[in-house]
Amino acid sequence: MVNHCKTGQNGLKQQEVVVVMVPLPAQGHLNQLLQLSRLVSSYNIPVHYVGTTEHASQAKRRVHGWDPLAATNIYFHSFKIPPCQTPSPEDSNLSNRFPSHWLPIFSASSNLIEPVSKLLRALSITSRRVIVIHDSLMASVVQEVGVIPNAESYNFHSVSAFTIFLYIWEQMEKKPIEYSNLLIPEDIPSLEGCFSSEFVDFMKSQYKYHKNISGKVYNTCRVIEGAYMDLLERQSKDKGIKHWALGPFNPIKLNPDRRRSKSRHYCLEWLDIQDVNSVIYVSFGTSISMSEQEIRELAIGLRRSKQKFIWVLRDADKEHVFNGDHDLGRAKLPKGYDDSVEGVGILVRNWAPQVEILAHPAIGGFMSHCGWNSCMESITMGVPIAAWPMHSDQPRNTVLITKLLKIGIVVKDWGRREKLVTSEIVEDSVKILMASKEGDEMRKRAAELGSNVRRSTGEGEVSRGEFDSFIAHITR
């Protein structure tokens, strides 16, 4: 293992290389860069994870599959920023579900510029090189990198390589490319309804700070998206920007001692007594609160499918996720619903250990919003997806999952996003995924893909080689 310390000219003990992670303060983004911190620190490289006080706490408390507090080489920097007023999540507009209630905290992240700049300058004195890996939407916060001679920055894209490529291709006015008939399926979902206009403005405000990056990193691997990584590399070859597929970030081998842990989640105990591939896991992430009507239709559809399920039913995250209860409220479910599904379904009204659930042999399917974090976790664990996209990159992730990888089905058609998903649609979707020949074939493909992804992280394999290459580059 490389020794990452030396003594500098000033007589101080110097780190060879340190890495600073700067995530966007939203759960899917916080989690991915914390998981990447675990992987980088395994190479004996110190990692400094920065954020607001509330969001650093959120990242640590919600991570699953490992304990960040037990990591000796990861250092958390929690900075106080002025409080901001965030509106309550809205659930009435089915045509645009983007979580606009997060925008104030995204904008307030500009208050991190000064403390992060001070941290980078301090680390630059005691390190030969400072590597900053920042969310693509936090570029303005790390602008100090441009004036620190021994610092360099890497843009982290929290979405799939497929989604990033489509964006670039559309900016090129859909210029014909080689093998386009294989790589770009027909009927790519429109971006209409994916974002709010305010968020588009926020994204654009970050682009001008992308000029000095040394490379781009992705939570994907070439087993899944090799063709799209190749296309992205071709597009930026003349600019000298390198691309690395460093995923999967999430743990792929979970601690077997967790089975005997007193802190083990109750739903895992229930899964232990279920048959292999007999349970569908239902969860739609942290950004959306479903309407009462949507909850009712989903509840009835799950019950009518007669398939066993675990359903995470909770409110969207607000600014301070640990202040107050995120329970959606039992009143929104049909009267007596809990009793009517006893023994068949479990409702989880708080945070659930998603990676551990997906890794359990009893799980045979995942009804998901298709956020990229969830997609990668499901793919890694070999679980097929019933796709119910809500906003952002999710409609296009649905295309990747269902049309290209062929490991899922569509529950909600993006072209009909303003229509309510009825209990009949839910029932049919669950039956197809969990109790049909078509579902069995998807499950087989998902299991094979998951096995290939996990194998690729082994010594001498493609994903491990990609990560080794990145570490060699930043420690050169």
Side-chain angles (χ1 to χ4, degrees):
M1 185 171 288
V2 179
N3 181 4
H4 295 295
C5 290
K6 70 174 185 178
T7 301
Q9 293 180 347
N10 56 10
L12 295 175
K13 189 175 183 181
Q14 266 192 333
Q15 295 289 342
E16 275 286 292
V17 175
V18 296
V19 172
V20 180
M21 299 284 181
V22 186
L24 184 76
Q27 179 59 35
H29 300 246
L30 293 164
N31 182 56
Q32 290 191 68
L33 283 188
L34 182 54
Q35 299 285 15
L36 180 58
S37 298
R38 172 183 61 88
L39 295 173
V40 171
S41 69
S42 71
Y43 286 80
N44 198 31
I45 297 175
V47 178
H48 297 260
Y49 184 95
V50 305
T52 71
T53 302
E54 291 79 9
H55 291 97
S57 175
Q58 175 181 334
K60 286 184 284 187
R61 289 176 62 177
R62 283 183 166 181
V63 73
H64 34 79
W66 63 289
D67 181 6
L69 298 180
T72 58
N73 226 13
I74 300 177
Y75 306 92
F76 291 91
H77 300 266
S78 303
F79 300 117
K80 284 277 188 184
I81 65 171
C84 60
Q85 293 295 320
T86 56
S88 298
E90 295 181 6
D91 57 24
S92 58
N93 184 3
L94 294 179
S95 64
N96 192 318
R97 303 294 294 270
F98 184 80
S100 293
H101 61 282
W102 283 356
L103 285 171
I105 190 62
F106 291 171
S107 298
S109 295
S110 62
N111 289 285
L112 292 174
I113 293 174
E114 183 178 353
V116 169
S117 296
K118 287 181 178 178
L119 174 65
L120 296 181
R121 288 195 296 270
L123 290 173
S124 72
I125 295 172
T126 59
S127 309
R128 179 174 65 86
R129 181 179 294 127
V130 178
I131 302 297
V132 181
I133 301 176
H134 62 89
D135 195 288
S136 62
L137 299 178
M138 292 289 279
S140 63
V141 173
V142 298
Q143 55 190 281
E144 186 77 4
V145 171
V147 297
I148 299 177
N150 61 336
E152 55 190 45
S153 67
Y154 294 81
N155 210 348
F156 166 61
H157 286 294
S158 62
V159 300
S160 64
F162 172 67
T163 296
I164 294 295
F165 169 73
L166 286 180
Y167 173 78
I168 294 173
W169 178 63
E170 287 169 337
Q171 294 295 106
M172 297 166 54
E173 298 182 347
K174 300 185 178 181
K175 179 182 176 181
I177 61 169
E178 190 178 5
Y179 311 124
S180 62
N181 60 321
L182 298 176
L183 301 178
I184 306 176
E186 295 181 359
D187 302 323
I188 294 294
S190 164
L191 290 177
E192 184 179 352
C194 290
F195 306 101
S196 68
S197 59
E198 294 85 359
F199 183 71
V200 171
D201 290 340
F202 174 74
M203 286 193 291
K204 289 178 179 178
S205 74
Q206 299 298 309
Y207 292 164
K208 61 183 177 183
Y209 298 103
H210 289 187
K211 297 175 183 177
N212 298 319
I213 62 171
S214 297
K216 299 184 179 185
V217 298
Y218 303 80
N219 181 13
T220 190
C221 68
R222 293 183 186 268
V223 173
I224 303 170
E225 296 191 284
Y228 300 102
M229 289 299 300
D230 290 345
L231 288 170
L232 288 170
E233 287 169 338
R234 286 187 218 171
Q235 296 301 322
S236 61
K237 183 171 60 175
D238 297 338
K239 300 176 183 177
I241 296 176
K242 295 179 177 292
H243 299 255
W244 282 277
L246 300 182
F249 291 178
N250 58 276
I252 59 171
K253 295 179 181 178
L254 301 180
N255 187 351
D257 292 339
R258 287 284 292 164
R259 276 184 167 267
R260 296 184 291 274
S261 171
K262 292 181 179 179
S263 62
R264 193 166 181 247
H265 198 278
Y266 65 87
C267 74
L268 297 170
E269 304 287 343
W270 182 77
L271 284 173
D272 288 343
I273 60 174
Q274 308 306 321
D275 293 337
V276 172
N277 293 332
S278 65
V279 180
I280 185 168
Y281 172 58
V282 181
S283 179
F284 300 105
T286 58
S287 65
I288 291 297
S289 295
M290 300 184 85
S291 69
E292 186 169 347
Q293 194 174 11
E294 286 178 300
I295 293 169
R296 179 178 179 81
E297 294 296 319
L298 176 55
I300 294 172
L302 286 172
R303 184 170 60 190
R304 286 179 178 171
S305 74
K306 301 189 184 303
Q307 302 299 308
K308 293 192 173 182
F309 64 86
I310 293 176
W311 178 9
V312 179
L313 180 58
R314 57 187 303 282
D315 262 341
D317 280 351
K318 301 179 179 66
E319 180 191 353
H320 302 295
V321 299
F322 299 115
N323 289 352
D325 192 359
H326 290 268
D327 188 341
L328 275 169
R330 296 171 188 269
K332 291 191 176 182
L333 286 167
K335 187 176 181 180
Y337 186 79
D338 291 64
D339 292 338
S340 72
V341 297
E342 187 175 356
V344 176
I346 286 185
L347 282 85
V348 178
R349 293 182 171 86
N350 48 33
W351 191 247
Q354 182 162 293
V355 173
E356 293 179 83
I357 292 171
L358 290 171
H360 199 287
I363 294 294
F366 179 17
M367 182 174 287
S368 170
H369 61 307
C370 274
W372 187 238
N373 226 17
S374 291
C375 287
M376 279 300 293
E377 291 169 355
S378 198
I379 290 170
T380 303
M381 299 307 171
V383 178
I385 296 174
W388 186 330
M390 303 284 188
H391 59 80
S392 302
D393 57 319
Q394 298 161 19
R396 294 185 170 189
N397 291 340
T398 295
V399 172
L400 177 64
I401 293 295
T402 61
K403 290 188 177 181
L404 297 170
L405 299 177
K406 301 185 186 302
I407 57 168
I409 60 170
V410 175
V411 178
K412 184 156 192 169
D413 180 1
W414 190 245
R416 294 170 53 85
R417 61 188 175 279
E418 74 285 353
K419 302 294 184 182
L420 181 71
V421 175
T422 65
S423 59
E424 289 78 14
I425 293 173
V426 173
E427 178 185 358
D428 291 345
S429 299
V430 173
K431 285 180 176 178
I432 290 171
L433 192 65
M434 301 298 295
S436 74
K437 183 178 179 181
E438 182 182 352
D440 289 341
E441 290 171 351
M442 285 181 221
R443 206 162 3 263
K444 183 178 179 181
R445 285 193 293 271
E448 183 177 359
L449 179 58
S451 177
N452 290 340
V453 169
R454 295 191 299 274
R455 188 182 305 115
S456 76
T457 64
E459 193 73 38
E461 299 292 339
V462 60
S463 294
R464 177 62 179 272
E466 187 105 356
F467 214 108
D468 289 344
S469 171
F470 178 70
I471 296 297
H473 177 77
I474 65 175
T475 58
R476 66 194 183 281

